[in-house]
Amino acid sequence: MAAIELVSPGNKDRKDKRRLFAAKCATYLTRGVGLVVVDIVTRRKKNLHNELVRLLGLDTTFEMLGPPPLYAVSYRPLRVGGRDQTEAWPVALAVGEPLPTVALSLEAEVCVPVDLEATYAETCEWKRIKDAL
């Protein structure tokens, strides 16, 4: 099982909303569900990845430094030596640049590529067709 979460402006609106989003993501990871979070919200400057890192009690080296960036992060939950661990692979995004391909963890040893740019393009095309009907 795996999940892809797209951050919305409402997820970043207030502290309780940010905490709720991070709690939902933490629940996925603690249940062994692979996760990708994509944050392309430019109007609200909070970093939900850092909120998740703090909630999970991960080392501060996992946090993103500097002004809150646009980003995608792939998370892989693992159980090593009887302990839960989380690996994270952040990718910086930029307005006007193509979205990256990210790894979506299905199991500890199985990741599949998710081409975010192709998915976005297909969704835009589908939406135009749907709106024209």
Side-chain angles (χ1 to χ4, degrees):
M1 292 185 5
I4 299 174
E5 287 288 334
L6 306 176
V7 175
S8 72
N11 297 135
K12 296 171 96 171
D13 188 26
R14 297 186 318 266
K15 185 175 183 170
D16 62 326
K17 297 287 189 172
R18 294 189 296 271
R19 187 77 168 171
L20 187 61
F21 182 87
K24 178 172 60 169
C25 293
T27 299
Y28 287 137
L29 296 171
T30 58
R31 292 183 177 172
V33 175
L35 175 65
V36 170
V37 173
V38 182
D39 183 351
I40 57 168
V41 176
T42 59
R43 297 179 71 197
R44 296 207 163 61
K45 301 299 181 185
K46 299 298 181 179
N47 187 310
L48 296 177
H49 166 76
N50 289 351
E51 187 82 27
L52 177 58
V53 166
R54 288 187 289 272
L55 184 62
L56 289 171
L58 299 176
D59 190 276
T60 57
T61 58
F62 276 93
E63 290 187 9
M64 294 178 184
L65 302 177
L70 304 178
Y71 61 87
V73 183
S74 295
Y75 300 93
R76 179 169 67 169
L78 299 168
R79 187 144 186 93
V80 178
R83 295 183 60 224
D84 290 330
Q85 294 183 0
T86 301
E87 292 182 340
W89 298 284
V91 178
L93 306 177
V95 174
E97 294 296 317
L99 294 167
T101 297
V102 296
L104 181 59
S105 176
L106 300 179
E107 297 176 6
E109 275 84 41
V110 179
C111 291
V112 295
V114 176
D115 184 340
L116 296 175
E117 184 64 26
T119 302
Y120 173 73
E122 285 178 37
T123 302
C124 288
E125 184 64 29
W126 177 79
K127 178 125 175 63
R128 279 188 220 114
I129 291 169
K130 183 180 170 194
D131 288 346
L133 296 177

